[in-house]
Amino acid sequence: MSAGTAALAVWLGAAAPVGAQTITAQTIIAQTPSGDPSAGERVFRQCAACHTVEPDRHRAGPSLYGIFGQSAGAVEGFRYSRAMQEAEIVWDEETLTAYLTDPNGFLPGTTMRIALRNAEDAPDLIAYLRTLGAN
């Protein structure tokens, strides 16, 4: 089992309290198997201070263009944390949901510290990210 797979397994076993209920990555994915890309584009505004969706244009975080289906730490021209460089993660619905809702819980040592304000927005954001680039 790779480090990324082990991190996902540990995270998926844990629950993230949100308001009066407990939400896990499986709950989010099960409740909303496909998100709304238009809504996800609006959710992306939370990310835009640190990320772009333009190829090869980075800010504090890497460009998210073409991220879906890509290996973690693989965007050319961006300097990643050691944790991200060594992670054996492929960005898909499960890994993105886990990372976006609890970055440091999913991948300790990551430099990303800001999670989505509302974990239930993850499917929409992921649907939007899927539309960026051909993967």
Side-chain angles (χ1 to χ4, degrees), residues 43-54 56-65 75 77-80 99-100 103 110-115 117 129:
V43 173
F44 179 76
R45 292 178 191 153
Q46 295 175 45
C47 313
C50 296
H51 297 277
T52 71
V53 292
E54 299 170 42
D56 304 320
R57 184 161 178 240
H58 311 297
R59 291 190 177 139
S63 167
L64 299 181
Y65 180 85
V75 174
F78 187 78
R79 184 174 167 200
Y80 289 95
Y99 189 68
L100 293 169
T110 185
T111 55
M112 185 163 130
R113 298 285 182 241
I114 301 171
R117 289 182 200 124
L129 294 175

Side-chain angles (χ1 to χ4, degrees), residues 92-117:
D92 60 20
E93 284 94 352
E94 285 186 277
T95 55
L96 281 167
T97 299
Y99 189 68
L100 293 169
T101 57
D102 184 11
N104 202 49
F106 175 69
L107 186 62
T110 185
T111 55
M112 185 163 130
R113 298 285 182 241
I114 301 171
L116 286 177
R117 289 182 200 124

